[in-house]
Amino acid sequence: MNDYRDVHNIKEYLRSKGINPSLQRIKIYQYLMEHRTHPTVEDIHADLVSEIPTLSKTTVYSTLNLFVSHGIVSKLMIEDGEVRYDINTKPHGHFKCIRCGRIFDIEISPSIFEDISVNGHHPMEYHFYIIGICKDCMEKGRDKFAA
Amino acid sequence: MNDYRDVHNIKEYLRSKGINPSLQRIKIYQYLMEHRTHPTVEDIHADLVSEIPTLSKTTVYSTLNLFVSHGIVSKLMIEDGEVRYDINTKPHGHFKCIRCGRIFDIEISPSIFEDISVNGHHPMEYHFYIIGICKDCMEKGRDKFAA
DNA sequence: ATCATTGCAAACACTTTGCATACGC
DNA sequence: GCGTATGCAAAGTGTTTGCAATGAT
């Protein structure tokens, strides 16, 4: 099991990865499954606190670190001081729109990675992202989604 | 003039970019030219303080922000909480070694960027990096360069 | 009862800001 | 002399740590 799309029982899945499935951990994992928006810790906490009023940011931080260390979630560093999380651990790229701030997934064919010469180094993780203006913002020509 | 390798007179170059060439700014630019190691603010300050004893980190920060905003230096975000600076603003990739921590430049043929489908979005900047173990560390099999 | 998780508050690390001093034309 | 750059100290932000309280088995 290496794809989040195959996870139907989160509790079982976390257990299979050696993670004790507490309520908070299940809800955070579920949130990432249902919100493929590459949320920040802030986003996740703000959205889940209505469901779990006692949820603290500390728990969100430690849960995400736990998920990353168990390889079931990956950390995204696109902009300075803005760490985001992605449940899709398969190699893919991201497109960040400078107008609306949204981040889109970009499919990348594995052959592209093979074509890149790594000068004899031993690659383990590939990261690729693009900064630009998304389709919607280009069409609308204004900051429809801006905060 | 778009390549740092063509800069022979830093003072003139900065002026041509609309930047007042103070001693600190010249030294910081020169440092980036001579140290193609993708240094952090910390690195730059630590190394230059012996030459300019009064140099403050505030100045290093503001100078780098100035260079970035004038497009003559680019900011690298590879690892969480570790902002690095690169004088090479041409599209290229980076390889970060998890053993020794060094970052190497990776040449990327422009055709790779063209091959990536951006789903109708409008790309402006391409960022690509690889995490892995560098050639030296693979051969030595140990943390020769670790801090 | 025991052990792990949670969550508050404090500590940390990095970066920016406010403002007085110093510098350069 | 005037306008800008510098650099200290303080404030701001995002993240981790210490530790007591809570929760699960």
Side-chain angles (χ1 to χ4, degrees):
Chain A
M1 160 94 69
N2 290 304
D3 194 314
Y4 72 98
R5 279 168 287 239
D6 298 329
V7 175
H8 297 109
N9 184 330
I10 297 175
K11 196 179 277 199
E12 263 322 302
Y13 176 66
L14 293 180
R15 242 195 279 272
S16 78
K17 292 290 181 178
I19 298 169
N20 194 341
S22 71
L23 172 72
Q24 288 86 339
R25 290 172 181 175
I26 292 168
K27 287 290 183 189
I28 292 170
Y29 191 87
Q30 188 181 26
Y31 181 88
L32 290 171
M33 281 181 89
E34 291 171 356
H35 299 81
R36 303 296 328 292
T37 54
H38 317 87
T40 61
V41 165
E42 191 62 40
D43 297 334
I44 298 168
H45 180 258
D47 286 358
L48 286 179
V49 100
S50 53
E51 223 177 312
I52 312 170
T54 60
L55 183 68
S56 76
K57 268 189 200 167
T58 306
T59 300
V60 180
Y61 276 112
S62 73
T63 300
L64 291 168
N65 286 342
L66 187 72
F67 288 170
V68 170
S69 70
H70 282 71
I72 65 171
V73 159
S74 61
K75 231 172 164 164
L76 249 57
M77 254 81 57
I78 295 184
E79 273 183 322
D80 187 16
E82 194 187 78
V83 179
R84 296 172 169 277
Y85 293 88
D86 192 345
I87 205 167
N88 183 359
T89 54
K90 290 233 160 85
H92 66 288
H94 295 101
F95 184 98
K96 162 125 193 178
C97 176
I98 54 166
R99 289 243 177 103
C100 64
R102 288 184 299 177
I103 293 175
F104 303 86
D105 283 340
I106 295 280
E107 267 191 47
I108 297 191
S109 81
S111 66
I112 285 179
F113 297 129
E114 287 157 23
D115 288 348
I116 292 165
S117 153
V118 291
N119 302 333
H121 303 318
H122 178 70
M124 291 163 67
E125 268 179 48
Y126 291 89
H127 295 263
F128 182 76
Y129 65 91
I130 298 168
I131 307 283
I133 297 171
C134 78
K135 211 174 162 182
D136 290 347
C137 288
M138 283 300 278
E139 283 164 6
K140 269 116 192 168
R142 58 197 165 77
D143 299 13
K144 194 195 169 191
F145 301 94
Chain B
M1 161 93 68
N2 289 305
D3 194 315
Y4 72 98
R5 280 166 287 239
D6 298 328
V7 176
H8 297 109
N9 184 328
I10 297 175
K11 197 179 274 197
E12 263 322 302
Y13 176 65
L14 293 180
R15 242 195 281 271
S16 79
K17 292 289 181 177
I19 298 169
N20 193 341
S22 71
L23 171 70
Q24 288 86 339
R25 289 171 180 177
I26 292 168
K27 288 291 182 187
I28 291 170
Y29 191 86
Q30 187 181 28
Y31 181 88
L32 290 171
M33 281 181 89
E34 292 170 356
H35 299 81
R36 303 295 329 291
T37 53
H38 317 87
T40 62
V41 166
E42 191 61 40
D43 296 334
I44 298 167
H45 180 259
D47 286 358
L48 285 179
V49 98
S50 52
E51 225 177 312
I52 312 168
T54 60
L55 182 67
S56 77
K57 268 188 202 169
T58 306
T59 301
V60 180
Y61 276 112
S62 74
T63 300
L64 292 168
N65 286 342
L66 187 72
F67 288 171
V68 170
S69 71
H70 282 71
I72 64 171
V73 159
S74 62
K75 231 173 165 166
L76 249 56
M77 255 80 59
I78 294 184
E79 273 184 322
D80 186 18
E82 194 189 75
V83 179
R84 295 170 171 279
Y85 294 88
D86 193 345
I87 206 168
N88 182 1
T89 54
K90 289 234 160 84
H92 66 288
H94 295 100
F95 184 99
K96 162 125 193 179
C97 176
I98 53 165
R99 289 243 179 103
C100 64
R102 288 184 298 176
I103 293 175
F104 303 84
D105 283 341
I106 295 281
E107 267 193 46
I108 297 191
S109 82
S111 66
I112 286 180
F113 297 128
E114 288 158 21
D115 288 349
I116 292 165
S117 153
V118 292
N119 302 332
H121 303 318
H122 178 69
M124 292 162 67
E125 267 178 48
Y126 291 88
H127 295 263
F128 183 74
Y129 66 91
I130 298 169
I131 307 282
I133 297 171
C134 77
K135 211 175 163 184
D136 289 346
C137 287
M138 283 300 278
E139 282 162 7
K140 269 116 191 168
R142 59 198 164 77
D143 300 13
K144 195 193 170 194
F145 302 94

